[in-house]
Amino acid sequence: MSEGTLYDKVWERHKVADLPNGQDQLFVGLHLVHEVTSPQAFGMLREREMEVAFPDRTVATTDHIVPTTAEGRSRPLADERAEEMLTHLERNTEEAGIRFFGLDDDRQGIAHVVGPELGFVQPGMTVVCGDSHTSTHGAFGAIGMGIGTSQIRDVFATGSVSADRKAVRRVEVTGELGDGVGAKDVILNVIRELGVDGGVGHVYEYGGEAIRALDMEGRLAVCNMSIEGGARAGYINPDETTYEYLRGREFAPEGEAFEERREYWESIRSDEDAEYDDVVEVDASGLAPQVSWGTTPEQVVGVDEPVPEPSETRDPDAAETAQAHTEVTPGETMEGHGIDVAFLGTCTNGRVADFREAARVLAGREVADGVRALAVPGSGTVKRTLEAAGIDRVFEDAGFQWREAGCSMCLAMNDDALEGEEVCASSSNRNYVGRQGSTEGRTHLMSPGMVAAAAVEGAVTDVRAFDTADEVGRSVADAEVDG
Amino acid sequence: MSDAPGPAGDDASGADDGASVPAIRRVAGTGVPLRGDDIDTDQILPARFLKAVTFDDMGTYAFYDRRRDEDGGRNDHPFNEYRGANVLAVNDNFGCGSSREHAPQGLMRWGVEAIVGESFAEIFRDNCKSLGIATLSVAPEEAEALQSFIEANPDAGIEVDVREETVRYGGTTVEGEVPDAMREALLAGIWDTTAVMRSNLDRAKAVRDALPYTDD
Ligand code: SF4
């Protein structure tokens, strides 16, 4: 049993009661709501004649089903079912008095992008959302947990969840990252090492010099994919990087209140002598950019390493099926593997720093013939920030479509989908068969810089070979942006 | 918003909150084998079917893409071949991926009442608990043996005993594990936690008031 970790401290502060089923009732500090998993929960609440207990601890946005073209967003939406879901959310949030960032609000976007960037998510909170990538918010030193719809009903009705305490595994990422290698590569490598079910029963506390060196966008990307590693939650202890990120955010405390709050934030950091249930070390020095070759997020290699033979993997049968699907050749590297679509965005890599990383590669270059390239900012705030710095022009000049905020081709609940057997270089988090909207489609997960490089080459390629010190690249992509 | 305590009254079992919450001690019926590790919720319930404001039609969409050929005809997927079964036999890390409750809702509405397998993804298992679907973890070879048994004897009876944490079939009894919280919840009929938690609303408010960030 862990002791003295951030997880233990935050848990204790939020514990309401022991439940008869042996679980703990935990108070929810922030409940993020979106249109896909909430309407049924609001329905259940109505059936029981209950009301939302803590509307002020609840924030809603719309992300999964929204069209990402400006024309597509006029109401009513062309897709009747999408329109119905959106209308339900509008009505439900209004009735309950819940703050909602809808299509007419320029802060609308993916819940896991909006919550952090507006300052709603802070260290030492419990954050839940009817979405597995709620683990993202652990980047602040919060406990972020994805929940199902019946649990959403519970949170609406009681401001709490029923949960059991997990074991805490410290994931120590040592070493220094090289140029062109970043947070996405770190987390893909961690999942590759520990497996997609390695985290079951655990939360991950990420630490070590490679983690400490990451900016908040990078930390969000790492914690985001904890769930792909089987861990319900993943977090990073808050530090100056965290506090500086929060300072000045719209819903973060200001002035004296900020300094007071900071004492709490400091107090919930894991103690120096905290006890963990388990400690693993992953060495990130010399790490190459990572690319997924298969259909689960652990089927990953460095771009300069050969794709493994099925027999060398944890699950040879699954590897064989996956390789038949993606048509990659064991023994060869992923370099040169042709792509049809390049997709930038999502709650993993849809933030300002991610687009800036891609823009450094794209400046002065063009997307290869025949490649469909989509840049989908994670929120309206991200989009406007980039536009103010002129970075949207880098994407458009290179031949990317510059879209409105949403989940888009991450799961293709709107019109943005792979068609037929298209191969996609994607900055998203899941490469499951059918995930991007076509059951024959193929997804290769990689960092935003790697997606940009693949777009230019028309094939998977090593972003480290790209000269990003290019004059145009510097001046445009390094322009002062807040975010 | 209302500060009134919920309608839970003094019955901490949660049985009076408007939802029917029968105790579930055992699930008996026939099996459906589904082989493969890491079967994710995108396979169980493809995202395009999530566009609905109720769960009513989810049974139709369970494994929708896997159950059909390219021309849309039904193939030999177990969910086509083993209709009427209620015990699902799976392998490792079943239900990984998204938190969509649509996935266990789809399985439940198709007919699944218990799932036996090597291991389950956590959110998926929590969702099963919320819906009263029992999950039993067994050793990998036992999961495979059960699948082989069902394939050879599709009509044979299978019984998952929640209290004993076993699955019984063809004269064999296999021990496994139902997570404690799920076991307690199913046996006592308290797998629906809304009412019991609502009865603690005052304590939840006290916790809120003691937190340094809730006055924003
Ligand atoms: S961007 Fe993708 S992973 Fe993130 S919330 Fe949207 S659909 Fe889920």
Side-chain angles (χ1 to χ4, degrees):
Chain A
M1 202 55 187
S2 63
E3 223 182 287
T5 69
L6 179 145
Y7 183 74
D8 297 299
K9 296 183 195 184
V10 175
W11 192 280
E12 281 311 320
R13 290 292 295 244
H14 291 78
K15 183 168 166 176
V16 173
D18 293 307
L19 293 172
N21 67 8
Q23 293 190 310
D24 286 351
Q25 176 172 353
L26 269 199
F27 182 74
V28 170
L30 179 65
H31 182 194
L32 297 169
V33 171
H34 64 84
E35 73 283 6
V36 177
T37 53
S38 70
Q40 310 83 356
F42 278 112
M44 297 177 196
L45 207 62
R46 233 169 254 128
E47 263 170 39
R48 300 183 189 197
E49 298 179 1
M50 290 180 180
E51 289 181 323
V52 175
F54 298 95
D56 54 327
R57 304 306 320 158
T58 315
V59 173
T61 182
T62 177
D63 48 15
H64 285 70
I65 53 101
V66 295
T68 58
T69 57
E71 317 80 73
R73 287 157 92 100
S74 58
R75 303 288 297 274
L77 300 177
D79 178 342
E80 278 172 33
R81 286 178 307 164
E83 173 63 26
E84 187 187 12
M85 300 187 88
L86 185 51
T87 316
H88 267 75
L89 185 57
E90 286 165 342
R91 204 186 58 215
N92 287 330
T93 50
E94 197 188 323
E95 277 178 13
I98 293 169
R99 189 192 302 275
F100 173 52
F101 298 104
L103 287 187
D104 53 358
D105 191 305
D106 61 12
R107 295 165 295 182
Q108 169 269 336
I110 304 170
H112 311 310
V113 175
V114 172
E117 75 186 353
L118 294 182
F120 286 113
V121 183
Q122 297 164 21
M125 280 186 171
T126 45
V127 183
V128 304
C129 175
D131 190 282
S132 59
H133 289 100
T134 312
S135 61
T136 308
H137 309 290
F140 287 86
I143 302 180
M145 288 182 292
I147 56 175
T149 292
S150 297
Q151 289 173 298
I152 298 176
R153 173 198 64 209
D154 286 354
V155 182
F156 281 151
T158 72
S160 356
V161 279
S162 162
D164 37 33
R165 204 143 154 170
K166 309 288 179 208
V168 183
R169 172 178 296 153
R170 168 89 174 176
V171 181
E172 185 84 15
V173 187
T174 58
E176 204 178 311
L177 300 178
D179 285 344
V181 182
K184 184 68 163 288
D185 305 304
V186 168
I187 188 62
L188 285 173
N189 184 51
V190 166
I191 298 166
R192 173 190 179 184
E193 297 272 328
L194 305 182
V196 288
D197 59 355
V200 173
H202 291 79
V203 299
Y204 284 172
E205 175 180 300
Y206 304 97
E209 55 175 319
I211 298 294
R212 270 198 308 276
L214 294 174
D215 59 13
M216 281 310 288
E217 281 91 344
R219 294 179 184 190
L220 287 157
V222 167
C223 292
N224 175 271
M225 291 191 70
S226 302
I227 189 73
E228 271 68 50
R232 183 72 168 269
Y235 67 88
I236 295 168
N237 279 298
D239 59 13
E240 285 306 318
T241 304
T242 323
Y243 313 145
E244 280 318 303
Y245 177 93
L246 279 166
R247 207 181 284 282
R249 302 262 155 197
E250 189 175 351
F251 294 92
E254 294 172 66
E256 222 169 283
F258 188 94
E259 298 313 321
E260 272 171 36
R261 192 68 55 79
R262 193 184 159 119
E263 281 171 33
Y264 171 61
W265 298 342
E266 283 286 310
S267 76
I268 48 87
R269 287 174 48 89
S270 293
D271 296 335
E272 292 288 330
D273 58 354
E275 280 174 35
Y276 298 91
D277 296 278
D278 188 13
V279 179
V280 297
E281 203 178 292
V282 180
D283 184 8
S285 46
L287 187 69
Q290 304 287 301
V291 185
S292 72
W293 51 261
T295 55
T296 77
E298 75 175 40
Q299 292 171 333
V300 164
V301 279
V303 66
D304 54 3
E305 287 169 66
V307 171
E309 295 288 342
S311 60
E312 297 161 5
T313 66
R314 182 176 70 108
D315 187 341
D317 289 345
E320 205 167 311
T321 313
Q323 290 179 353
H325 179 77
T326 54
E327 295 183 290
V328 301
T329 317
E332 289 179 13
T333 69
M334 287 298 292
E335 279 211 82
H337 187 76
I339 64 147
D340 308 295
V341 177
F343 173 55
L344 283 172
T346 80
C347 60
T348 316
N349 285 137
R351 301 185 176 81
V352 172
D354 301 311
F355 286 93
R356 200 160 34 170
E357 176 188 327
R360 280 206 192 90
V361 175
L362 291 173
R365 297 197 173 93
E366 273 180 29
V367 169
D369 282 348
V371 171
R372 187 154 64 102
L374 251 67
V376 188
S379 72
T381 309
V382 170
K383 180 166 186 275
R384 276 178 298 109
T385 307
L386 292 164
E387 287 171 352
I391 294 178
D392 57 323
R393 297 271 308 283
V394 178
F395 287 94
E396 292 197 312
D397 290 350
F400 265 80
Q401 300 173 37
W402 183 249
R403 295 292 189 89
E404 304 288 328
C407 293
S408 181
M409 207 188 269
C410 181
L411 90 168
M413 280 186 77
N414 64 0
D415 288 340
D416 310 338
L418 292 186
E419 285 162 26
E421 297 186 347
E422 278 183 331
V423 177
C424 181
S426 180
S427 71
S428 58
N429 46 38
R430 288 185 173 149
N431 53 344
Y432 306 143
V433 175
R435 171 73 178 185
Q436 293 192 284
S438 163
T439 46
E440 289 106 51
R442 279 75 65 89
T443 304
H444 297 286
L445 306 175
M446 57 190 88
S447 72
M450 284 286 287
V451 170
V456 170
E457 287 295 308
V460 174
T461 186
D462 191 336
V463 68
R464 294 174 298 182
F466 275 63
D467 176 18
T468 53
D470 170 284
E471 271 310 298
V472 197
R474 275 265 154 100
S475 59
V476 180
D478 289 346
E480 263 314 290
V481 288
D482 107 75
Chain B
M1 291 309 318
S2 163
D3 274 354
D10 53 10
D11 179 357
S13 77
D16 66 344
D17 68 345
S20 63
V21 280
I24 296 169
R25 292 184 184 93
R26 50 189 278 283
V27 173
T30 60
V32 45
L34 189 72
R35 291 184 185 268
D37 291 345
D38 306 322
I39 291 180
D40 57 79
T41 53
D42 277 85
Q43 291 181 46
I44 301 174
L45 214 115
R48 65 183 187 283
F49 302 118
L50 308 185
K51 265 188 259 173
V53 294
T54 70
F55 290 127
D56 297 352
D57 298 330
M58 292 303 141
T60 320
Y61 302 137
F63 288 105
Y64 191 92
D65 290 335
R66 296 292 158 127
R67 287 161 75 180
R68 278 163 184 78
D69 297 328
E70 275 161 35
D71 56 12
R74 282 171 190 266
N75 59 21
D76 59 0
H77 189 277
F79 271 59
N80 292 331
E81 305 276 292
Y82 293 82
R83 300 203 136 261
N86 57 353
V87 178
L88 174 61
V90 300
N91 301 102
D92 187 34
N93 200 27
F94 185 74
C96 61
S98 98
S99 65
R100 63 189 69 158
E101 190 168 302
H102 306 69
Q105 286 273 0
L107 297 178
M108 181 178 80
R109 286 163 198 267
W110 181 86
V112 172
E113 295 175 82
I115 314 179
V116 180
E118 183 183 341
S119 76
F120 302 89
E122 278 172 23
I123 302 182
F124 177 83
R125 207 181 54 199
D126 273 8
N127 284 336
C128 286
K129 177 169 79 70
S130 300
L131 300 179
I133 302 171
T135 65
L136 180 78
S137 312
V138 297
E141 57 282 6
E142 296 293 0
E144 283 170 28
L146 175 60
Q147 290 170 327
S148 302
F149 174 81
I150 299 169
E151 284 159 1
N153 311 279
D155 300 322
I158 297 176
E159 186 178 315
V160 174
D161 191 314
V162 175
R163 186 190 304 277
E164 302 292 327
E165 302 180 72
T166 57
V167 53
R168 282 192 286 275
Y169 62 93
T172 317
T173 299
V174 176
E175 293 192 4
E177 193 199 341
V178 178
D180 290 348
M182 175 185 274
R183 184 165 171 269
E184 289 309 307
L186 294 177
L187 292 177
I190 50 168
W191 35 275
D192 183 318
T193 40
T194 303
V196 59
M197 291 208 290
R198 185 95 173 177
S199 68
N200 293 331
L201 199 59
D202 286 339
R203 289 162 79 175
K205 284 180 182 150
V207 168
R208 175 198 59 188
D209 294 341
L211 284 165
Y213 64 79
T214 43
D215 49 2
D216 287 352

